[in-house]
Amino acid sequence: MTDTGFRDSIPRHLIYALGTDPQNATLGDWRIALSLAVRDRLVDAWLASARAARQAGAKRVYYLSMEFLIGRLLEDAIINLRLEEEVRAALAALGLSADEVIADEPDAALGNGGLGRLAACFMESLATLGVPAFGYGIRYEHGLFRQSFVEGRQVEEPEDWLTQVHAWEFRRRDVRLRLCFGGEVVDEGGKPVWHGAEAVMAQAYDTPMIGWQGKWANALRLWSAEPLHGFDLDRFNRGDYAAAAEPEALARTISRVLYPDDTTERGKELRLKQEYFFTAASLQDILRRFEAEGGALADLPKKAAIQLNDTHPAIAGPELVRLLHDERGMALDQAIETARGCLSYTNHTLLPEALERWSEDLMTRLLPRHMQLIERIDAAHAAEKPDRKVALVQEGEVRMGELAFVMAHKVNGVSALHTGLMKQTVFEELHRLHPDRIVNETNGVTPRRWLFSANPRLSRLISGTIGEGWVCDLERLCELEPQLDDAAFLDAYAGAKRANKADLAGWLAAEHGVQIDPEALFDVQIKRIHEYKRQHLNILETIALWQEIKANPNAPWVPRVKIFAGKAAPGYVFAKEIIRLINDVAAVVNADLETNRFLKVVFLPNYNVSLAERLIPASDLSEQISTAGKEASGTGNMKFALNGAPTIGTLDGANVEIRDRVGEKNFFLFGMTTDEVVARRAVPDHARQAIAADKRLGGALKAVSQGVFSPRDRHCYRGFVGNLTGHDYFLVCSDFTAYWDAQRRVDAAFAEPAVWWPMAARNTARTGWFSSDRTIRGYMADIWGASSLDPA
Ligand code: F58
């Protein structure tokens, strides 16, 4: 297509697909028209990829995940198709700004955090590497809630991305699968037959996931729950309108909302329904494809690698056994073996409360045949390993982690440290029984989105220095190493960061009315709010710093802006307290004319992928300060390092591997190790001791408990302070002094450009290993046995 062809296709879509007069078109209309024009450019490659996979009879990778936090799609497609210039020119000719049009797209917030974002990075890398793959998940009508603050408190509102035209998805009218819940299992001639009581349809919607340079694309297939039949005409004609619509409403509930939290009792049943719904639909679809291509069922593992993203799809084990054994007559033992040959499981957390368990009662009520099969799988495991002590059902609960482990041929951790801890803690016994099963696949992030697209200034500098090959071969960033002593390169590197910071400062002023000094150190902690991530350690240090500045206003303080963003699960009371405290501290500190030249605190509402893309390239310091042993990996830590923000962090998750690569001098390490954490918890009164030993910490806690930041309700933080001075499970107090000292090392380094910029640039040059392309290659070799159909 010629340049004009592309340019013309935008108004053509506006007029003929949307039926909108260009004279009345809104920014949103133009954005959708542009999306359709860009989409036209990728559909051929997408269909050709599927055809190539079919013709090659290739093994496919199936990534089953409750969450795909894909964010905006238009810019991703423009970048990967290399249409940046054409789009800019075409929009300019229409009198539109590309940045504004792109920013108009709502984020597809179909995930909570790292787990969902990892799935999105994996989809992009799978396509870039030309691996035939499908992502399978749920097409939530409402993604993660929208967050705002009222008097500092988090307020949640429903997110409604699907109220707009979704230009990227295709409803597959021919892919509509039926599945059941409840009912009973009846013996029919010696054969157990499940008669479900409630049936719903899973309707497929496909979104193309395009790889770098548009050579290969895979489908992200999301299921929407629909009723078996439309509405009840009889009831409608009788005037009973609500009852007529009831079956539809009930069915649709399943794909209505993304769970922001799995800790509350209410909604447990719905969550299990969601899990079974998308898992069962995906497995039916996988078997359908396999059978259409021909082949003996026993060969399924040669054609299908099914990755379970956490335990949420762990019901895949019994469901696949059911499909093979009950529905296709394969012997039970062989069905278990065959299923295991296909399945593998990624664990993302060791927190006991986050490891799923379902009550036997609920499982029996909702999935009676699966409950029986779980018992059969357990018995088969016990027969295979007579000394096994771990049962799949314990104290009336089905243990989904253990079920996923037993039904997978490989189980992976997401960083080296986490994988080691899996072997020593939650899966100790299963690891002893199956010593080859656990493998490590340290997480990664896609460089296309998180460097090339999010940070064009730095990308241009890198490409100008070493060429563009790094975009799909990120380890080539090490070719920057010889430049790290070169004054001109470091100047340009610093220039790119300064310009990004100035942009952020401008945006904060325009959008949030917050004034910050672009020369200050931008110290950023953005992630879900959780006690183990310790945003409260950060804010206590902020308070202590404020007090210290007030005591010595004429000392040469290094100006800092503390930037926070993140959502708390709606039912997580303590996390919400942390948010309120940060907002309250911000109000007092930012208004303090004595100190606010040196210190500002900003908590940005509604953290999402797009906000991360804006903040990370403009950050100087990356806060990765979890209690050692609690953060499985982290992926934000990788994005910051790649974009030249050194880490202040503990030896936790992938921080360990980041530090190994960037070098200890280029990482601000502090805090207890995993072993020290365990030992410290055993010390009676550890928090009080730590507070007594550090006047700054004592002063900060005192200010909070006395109501310095909550003048209208002076005692409101008593509970919060009580938690820290008493229990302090996450050892905020015990790590405080080391954190304070590390922050002062940061100040000293930032004050010396000759120290800071080489350090920042080394972070970029040495973190190429954290590409999700490398991670996917690891899964392919160690877990999936899949290969790339070279897109070249
Ligand atoms: C995250 N888990 C880990 N869970 O916390 C993080 O260390 C890791 O880098 C990342 O996975 C990718 O491996 C995570 O994001 C969730 O969001 C849960 C989803 C289900 C509801 C409760 C939160």
Side-chain angles (χ1 to χ4, degrees):
M1 244 183 258
T2 62
D3 184 30
T4 13
F6 182 73
R7 192 156 73 202
D8 292 347
S9 77
I10 303 171
R12 204 167 52 237
H13 279 293
L14 184 85
I15 297 165
Y16 298 106
L18 305 179
T20 299
D21 185 333
Q23 294 202 337
N24 303 329
T26 62
L27 194 63
D29 296 329
W30 283 115
R31 194 245 310 154
I32 293 163
L34 172 64
S35 301
L36 294 173
V38 172
R39 197 182 76 173
D40 285 352
R41 290 288 192 95
L42 61 80
V43 170
D44 286 329
W46 187 28
L47 300 183
S49 303
R51 208 178 305 126
R54 263 196 315 274
Q55 278 163 4
K59 182 167 191 174
R60 289 172 182 94
V61 172
Y62 296 109
Y63 199 79
L64 268 60
S65 177
M66 281 289 263
E67 308 191 358
F68 288 91
L69 194 44
I70 47 186
R72 289 178 178 148
L73 296 177
L74 174 57
E75 187 172 23
D76 225 31
I78 293 172
I79 293 274
N80 274 2
L81 293 169
R82 307 308 318 268
L83 286 174
E84 303 101 299
E85 293 311 319
E86 261 179 279
V87 166
R88 273 187 197 282
L91 291 179
L94 291 161
L96 295 161
S97 132
D99 291 341
E100 281 176 25
V101 174
I102 286 168
D104 179 69
E105 184 178 358
D107 269 45
L110 309 182
N112 277 288
L115 172 153
R117 183 54 230 174
L118 184 75
C121 284
F122 280 5
M123 289 310 297
E124 201 275 349
S125 280
L126 282 162
T128 290
L129 295 176
V131 182
F134 277 79
Y136 277 117
I138 298 180
R139 182 178 178 270
Y140 299 106
E141 215 173 293
H142 303 284
L144 188 61
F145 64 86
R146 249 202 311 263
Q147 177 200 51
S148 59
F149 301 132
V150 173
E151 293 182 354
R153 288 188 171 87
Q154 170 173 298
V155 174
E156 302 105 29
E157 277 160 330
E159 184 281 341
D160 54 5
W161 69 301
L162 279 182
T163 53
Q164 305 199 14
V165 174
H166 183 17
W168 297 100
E169 69 177 9
F170 293 83
R171 181 182 164 103
R172 297 297 187 200
R173 301 172 64 86
D174 53 329
V175 188
R176 211 175 134 73
L177 307 172
R178 180 179 185 275
L179 37 105
C180 295
F181 300 100
E184 52 181 1
V185 182
V186 180
D187 188 313
E188 291 180 7
K191 206 174 159 257
V193 179
W194 176 29
H195 295 277
E198 186 193 327
V200 293
M201 300 304 288
Q203 168 65 53
Y205 287 81
D206 288 353
T207 302
M209 300 276 119
I210 187 89
W212 177 237
Q213 294 180 329
K215 294 179 192 162
W216 188 272
N218 289 312
L220 171 59
R221 177 159 285 183
L222 301 180
W223 300 104
S224 180
E226 293 182 359
L228 225 47
H229 312 290
F231 75 118
D232 188 331
L233 188 61
D234 276 351
R235 279 176 158 173
F236 190 87
N237 286 340
R238 273 185 263 122
D240 198 350
Y241 305 125
E246 202 176 291
E248 167 151 17
L250 219 65
R252 290 197 191 279
T253 306
I254 296 177
S255 50
R256 184 94 65 202
V257 282
L258 164 77
Y259 268 83
D261 181 13
D262 58 359
T263 52
T264 55
E265 269 312 308
R266 271 161 45 94
K268 272 213 189 298
E269 177 174 332
L270 184 53
R271 176 139 175 120
L272 180 56
K273 267 188 161 175
Q274 289 187 325
E275 295 185 356
Y276 178 68
F277 166 76
F278 96 94
T279 304
S282 308
L283 290 177
Q284 265 191 57
D285 202 34
I286 292 167
L287 278 183
R288 223 173 42 103
R289 187 170 302 112
F290 175 78
E291 287 168 344
E293 290 181 7
L297 267 188
D299 287 339
L300 186 63
K302 293 189 188 143
K303 298 290 174 185
I306 305 173
Q307 189 68 35
L308 309 179
N309 195 25
D310 218 287
T311 54
H312 318 139
I315 197 70
E319 173 67 5
L320 189 50
V321 171
R322 191 186 72 79
L323 293 171
L324 295 173
H325 173 65
D326 289 12
E327 297 206 345
R328 288 169 178 76
M330 188 184 269
L332 183 69
D333 285 351
Q334 199 196 350
I336 294 175
E337 265 317 302
T338 306
R340 187 179 293 130
C342 300
L343 297 170
S344 43
Y345 152 57
T346 307
N347 172 280
H348 294 271
T349 182
L350 304 172
L351 294 185
E353 68 272 22
L355 288 173
E356 288 187 300
R357 294 166 190 197
W358 297 109
S359 86
E360 221 181 319
D361 289 349
L362 175 61
M363 187 68 88
T364 307
R365 190 155 34 87
L366 218 58
L367 300 168
R369 180 58 184 149
H370 297 78
M371 192 62 230
Q372 291 178 348
L373 286 170
I374 289 167
E375 275 155 9
R376 301 287 297 270
I377 291 166
D378 200 21
H381 187 236
E384 183 202 346
K385 303 282 178 191
D387 63 335
R388 80 99 163 83
K389 293 185 212 82
V390 193
L392 300 186
V393 185
Q394 287 174 39
E395 294 160 7
E397 287 182 324
V398 184
R399 323 263 300 206
M400 301 309 272
E402 282 81 356
L403 174 63
F405 192 113
V406 165
M407 283 307 301
H409 65 284
K410 290 288 174 198
V411 175
N412 77 286
V414 288
S415 71
L417 181 81
H418 168 241
T419 306
L421 291 171
M422 278 166 69
K423 295 178 181 172
Q424 288 162 23
T425 62
V426 278
F427 295 124
E428 188 190 5
E429 160 85 357
L430 286 168
H431 171 58
R432 185 179 61 73
L433 298 172
H434 306 279
D436 299 330
R437 199 164 291 184
I438 297 184
V439 293
N440 177 48
E441 304 299 343
T442 296
N443 285 165
V445 302
T446 166
R448 270 74 62 188
R449 187 179 283 244
W450 294 106
L451 186 50
F452 188 81
S453 165
N455 198 343
R457 291 190 180 96
L458 180 55
S459 296
R460 276 195 296 272
L461 174 63
I462 297 170
S463 296
T465 312
I466 62 169
E468 227 187 44
W470 61 273
V471 181
C472 57
D473 185 3
L474 199 63
E475 291 192 54
R476 288 183 59 184
L477 289 180
C478 68
E479 292 167 20
L480 293 171
E481 197 84 25
Q483 310 296 320
L484 300 178
D485 301 317
D486 179 75
F489 177 81
L490 291 173
D491 261 6
Y493 190 96
K497 181 67 82 180
R498 283 208 186 92
N500 292 343
K501 290 172 67 178
D503 278 358
L504 178 64
W507 178 81
L508 279 171
E511 294 293 317
H512 294 278
V514 182
Q515 307 297 329
I516 59 169
D517 170 9
E519 292 301 312
L521 187 161
F522 288 8
D523 169 346
V524 182
Q525 187 171 19
I526 49 176
K527 50 183 78 240
R528 284 300 284 251
I529 311 296
H530 204 292
E531 283 163 281
Y532 84 76
K533 295 182 189 280
R534 300 200 294 194
Q535 282 92 353
H536 44 341
L537 174 57
N538 188 346
I539 198 66
L540 284 173
E541 191 267 343
T542 308
I543 296 168
L545 179 60
W546 173 64
Q547 293 178 325
E548 194 106 338
I549 299 174
K550 277 184 97 58
N552 292 292
N554 297 320
W557 296 104
V558 175
R560 260 194 207 238
V561 184
K562 292 261 192 177
I563 299 175
F564 295 85
K567 296 176 183 177
Y572 191 171
V573 176
F574 196 86
K576 289 177 136 179
E577 281 290 287
I578 296 175
I579 292 180
R580 178 152 70 118
L581 177 60
I582 297 172
N583 278 322
D584 283 350
V585 171
V588 171
V589 167
N590 296 351
D592 188 335
L593 298 179
E594 205 177 11
T595 61
N596 67 11
R597 276 171 301 149
F598 299 122
L599 183 62
K600 283 255 168 99
V601 181
V602 180
F603 198 138
L604 290 164
N606 203 35
Y607 181 52
N608 59 14
V609 174
S610 310
L611 185 56
E613 288 168 338
R614 192 183 286 282
L615 291 173
I616 292 170
S619 298
D620 291 310
L621 183 67
S622 160
E623 295 270 355
Q624 309 299 336
I625 60 177
S626 51
T627 315
K630 295 293 177 195
E631 188 69 270
S633 163
T635 44
N637 47 3
M638 301 166 187
K639 296 165 195 165
F640 279 103
L642 211 46
N643 282 279
T647 306
I648 181 166
T650 48
L651 280 180
D652 202 12
N655 291 356
V656 177
E657 289 153 89
I658 291 175
R659 180 167 172 267
D660 284 348
R661 287 192 159 72
V662 302
E664 58 187 47
K665 287 201 210 112
N666 304 305
F667 186 110
F668 297 94
L669 179 70
F670 77 95
M672 287 174 282
T673 61
T674 312
D675 291 341
E676 287 164 353
V677 161
V678 174
R680 180 72 185 174
R681 272 206 198 104
V683 175
D685 236 14
H686 53 80
R688 273 178 221 285
Q689 284 182 22
I691 296 164
D694 191 323
K695 282 202 190 73
R696 293 188 185 99
L697 173 59
L701 285 168
K702 198 164 154 196
V704 176
S705 75
Q706 289 182 343
V708 170
F709 308 104
S710 50
R712 277 181 293 175
D713 184 1
R714 291 202 164 267
H715 301 307
C716 72
Y717 289 116
R718 283 221 167 138
F720 176 90
V721 173
N723 175 303
L724 288 184
T725 50
H727 184 48
D728 194 19
Y729 181 77
F730 293 99
L731 301 169
V732 167
C733 297
S734 297
D735 264 347
F736 180 89
T737 309
Y739 180 57
W740 170 276
D741 292 343
Q743 288 286 25
R744 303 297 72 80
R745 282 187 273 130
V746 171
D747 283 338
F750 191 75
E752 287 293 340
V755 173
W756 189 263
W757 295 113
M759 187 191 301
R762 280 204 167 84
N763 269 264
T764 300
R766 297 181 177 175
T767 44
W769 189 76
F770 295 97
S771 164
S772 45
D773 299 346
R774 184 268 313 151
T775 314
I776 288 296
R777 286 201 178 93
Y779 277 79
M780 286 164 67
D782 308 338
I783 303 178
W784 298 333
S787 21
S788 151
L789 294 189
D790 190 8

Short mmCIF file of all heavy atoms in Angstrom, two decimals, residues 67 112-115 118 262 271 312 348 414 443 532-533 631-635, ligand 1:
data_model
loop_
_atom_site.label_atom_id
_atom_site.label_comp_id
_atom_site.label_asym_id
_atom_site.label_seq_id
_atom_site.Cartn_x
_atom_site.Cartn_y
_atom_site.Cartn_z
N GLU A 67 -5.55 -13.84 33.61
CA GLU A 67 -5.28 -12.42 33.42
C GLU A 67 -4.34 -12.18 32.24
O GLU A 67 -3.34 -12.89 32.08
CB GLU A 67 -4.61 -11.85 34.69
CG GLU A 67 -5.39 -12.17 35.97
CD GLU A 67 -4.90 -11.40 37.17
OE1 GLU A 67 -3.93 -10.63 37.04
OE2 GLU A 67 -5.50 -11.59 38.25
N ASN A 112 -4.51 -8.00 37.41
CA ASN A 112 -4.26 -7.30 38.67
C ASN A 112 -2.88 -6.66 38.72
O ASN A 112 -2.72 -5.56 39.22
CB ASN A 112 -4.35 -8.28 39.83
CG ASN A 112 -5.77 -8.50 40.29
OD1 ASN A 112 -6.37 -7.62 40.88
ND2 ASN A 112 -6.32 -9.67 39.99
N GLY A 113 -1.88 -7.39 38.26
CA GLY A 113 -0.51 -6.90 38.42
C GLY A 113 0.46 -7.73 37.62
O GLY A 113 0.18 -8.09 36.46
N GLY A 114 1.56 -8.08 38.27
CA GLY A 114 2.69 -8.70 37.58
C GLY A 114 2.35 -9.97 36.82
O GLY A 114 2.85 -10.19 35.70
N LEU A 115 1.51 -10.79 37.41
CA LEU A 115 1.17 -12.06 36.78
C LEU A 115 0.46 -11.83 35.43
O LEU A 115 0.77 -12.49 34.44
CB LEU A 115 0.28 -12.83 37.75
CG LEU A 115 -0.41 -14.12 37.38
CD1 LEU A 115 -0.63 -14.94 38.64
CD2 LEU A 115 -1.74 -13.84 36.74
N LEU A 118 2.93 -10.17 32.92
CA LEU A 118 3.88 -11.17 32.40
C LEU A 118 3.23 -11.92 31.23
O LEU A 118 3.86 -12.15 30.19
CB LEU A 118 4.27 -12.15 33.50
CG LEU A 118 5.34 -13.17 33.09
CD1 LEU A 118 6.71 -12.52 33.01
CD2 LEU A 118 5.37 -14.36 34.05
N ASP A 262 -8.54 -12.50 45.87
CA ASP A 262 -9.20 -13.79 46.07
C ASP A 262 -9.24 -14.14 47.54
O ASP A 262 -9.26 -15.29 47.93
CB ASP A 262 -8.50 -14.90 45.26
CG ASP A 262 -7.05 -15.03 45.63
OD1 ASP A 262 -6.59 -14.26 46.48
OD2 ASP A 262 -6.38 -15.91 45.06
N ARG A 271 -15.69 -17.30 41.54
CA ARG A 271 -14.32 -17.39 41.05
C ARG A 271 -14.00 -18.81 40.55
O ARG A 271 -13.40 -18.98 39.50
CB ARG A 271 -13.34 -16.97 42.14
CG ARG A 271 -11.90 -17.14 41.70
CD ARG A 271 -11.01 -16.00 42.13
NE ARG A 271 -9.64 -16.31 41.78
CZ ARG A 271 -8.89 -15.57 40.98
NH1 ARG A 271 -9.38 -14.49 40.43
NH2 ARG A 271 -7.65 -15.90 40.72
N HIS A 312 -4.73 -20.82 38.96
CA HIS A 312 -6.10 -20.46 38.55
C HIS A 312 -6.69 -21.42 37.52
O HIS A 312 -7.87 -21.74 37.58
CB HIS A 312 -6.18 -19.00 38.10
CG HIS A 312 -5.41 -18.08 39.00
ND1 HIS A 312 -4.65 -17.04 38.54
CD2 HIS A 312 -5.23 -18.10 40.34
CE1 HIS A 312 -4.05 -16.44 39.55
NE2 HIS A 312 -4.38 -17.07 40.65
N HIS A 348 3.66 -18.41 41.12
CA HIS A 348 4.05 -17.00 41.21
C HIS A 348 4.11 -16.48 42.64
O HIS A 348 4.33 -15.29 42.84
CB HIS A 348 3.06 -16.10 40.45
CG HIS A 348 3.05 -16.31 38.98
ND1 HIS A 348 3.87 -15.62 38.13
CD2 HIS A 348 2.34 -17.15 38.20
CE1 HIS A 348 3.64 -16.01 36.88
NE2 HIS A 348 2.72 -16.95 36.91
N VAL A 414 9.75 -18.29 39.13
CA VAL A 414 9.88 -17.14 38.24
C VAL A 414 11.15 -16.32 38.51
O VAL A 414 11.35 -15.28 37.89
CB VAL A 414 8.62 -16.26 38.29
CG1 VAL A 414 7.46 -16.97 37.60
CG2 VAL A 414 8.22 -15.91 39.73
N ASN A 443 11.66 -14.44 35.09
CA ASN A 443 10.79 -13.57 34.28
C ASN A 443 11.58 -12.63 33.38
O ASN A 443 12.77 -12.41 33.58
CB ASN A 443 9.92 -12.70 35.21
CG ASN A 443 8.79 -13.47 35.86
OD1 ASN A 443 8.19 -13.02 36.82
ND2 ASN A 443 8.48 -14.65 35.37
N TYR A 532 3.80 -6.85 52.11
CA TYR A 532 5.12 -7.43 51.86
C TYR A 532 5.96 -6.56 50.92
O TYR A 532 7.18 -6.60 50.93
CB TYR A 532 5.01 -8.88 51.36
CG TYR A 532 4.78 -9.07 49.88
CD1 TYR A 532 5.84 -8.91 48.97
CD2 TYR A 532 3.54 -9.43 49.37
CE1 TYR A 532 5.63 -9.09 47.61
CE2 TYR A 532 3.32 -9.62 48.02
CZ TYR A 532 4.37 -9.44 47.14
OH TYR A 532 4.19 -9.61 45.80
N LYS A 533 5.28 -5.72 50.11
CA LYS A 533 6.02 -4.84 49.21
C LYS A 533 6.53 -3.59 49.95
O LYS A 533 7.35 -2.85 49.44
CB LYS A 533 5.13 -4.44 48.03
CG LYS A 533 4.76 -5.64 47.14
CD LYS A 533 3.92 -5.21 45.95
CE LYS A 533 3.35 -6.37 45.15
NZ LYS A 533 4.29 -6.98 44.22
N GLU A 631 8.75 -11.55 47.51
CA GLU A 631 8.44 -11.17 46.11
C GLU A 631 8.99 -12.26 45.22
O GLU A 631 10.21 -12.45 45.13
CB GLU A 631 9.11 -9.83 45.80
CG GLU A 631 8.70 -9.22 44.45
CD GLU A 631 7.25 -8.75 44.43
OE1 GLU A 631 6.38 -9.57 44.07
OE2 GLU A 631 7.00 -7.59 44.81
N ALA A 632 8.09 -12.96 44.53
CA ALA A 632 8.56 -14.11 43.75
C ALA A 632 9.63 -13.69 42.74
O ALA A 632 10.68 -14.33 42.63
CB ALA A 632 7.37 -14.76 43.03
N SER A 633 9.35 -12.64 42.00
CA SER A 633 10.36 -12.17 41.04
C SER A 633 10.33 -10.65 40.97
O SER A 633 11.32 -9.98 41.25
CB SER A 633 10.06 -12.74 39.64
OG SER A 633 10.76 -12.01 38.65
N GLY A 634 9.17 -10.11 40.59
CA GLY A 634 9.12 -8.72 40.19
C GLY A 634 9.43 -8.66 38.70
O GLY A 634 10.20 -9.49 38.19
N THR A 635 8.78 -7.73 38.01
CA THR A 635 9.11 -7.47 36.61
C THR A 635 9.30 -5.96 36.42
O THR A 635 10.06 -5.54 35.56
CB THR A 635 8.01 -7.99 35.66
OG1 THR A 635 6.74 -7.60 36.20
CG2 THR A 635 8.06 -9.49 35.52
C1 F58 B 1 3.25 -11.72 40.76
N1 F58 B 1 1.98 -12.25 41.25
C2 F58 B 1 4.35 -11.82 41.80
N2 F58 B 1 -0.32 -12.17 41.47
O1 F58 B 1 3.95 -11.18 42.99
C3 F58 B 1 5.60 -11.13 41.23
O2 F58 B 1 6.67 -11.26 42.11
C4 F58 B 1 5.95 -11.75 39.89
O3 F58 B 1 6.98 -11.02 39.27
C5 F58 B 1 4.76 -11.77 38.97
O4 F58 B 1 3.65 -12.42 39.59
C6 F58 B 1 5.04 -12.49 37.67
O5 F58 B 1 5.64 -13.73 37.92
C7 F58 B 1 0.83 -11.64 40.95
O6 F58 B 1 0.80 -10.66 40.21
C8 F58 B 1 -1.56 -11.67 41.33
O7 F58 B 1 -1.78 -10.64 40.74
C9 F58 B 1 -2.70 -12.42 41.95
C10 F58 B 1 -3.70 -12.80 40.89
C11 F58 B 1 -4.92 -13.49 41.50
C12 F58 B 1 -5.55 -12.65 42.55
C13 F58 B 1 -4.55 -12.23 43.61
C14 F58 B 1 -3.35 -11.55 43.00
#
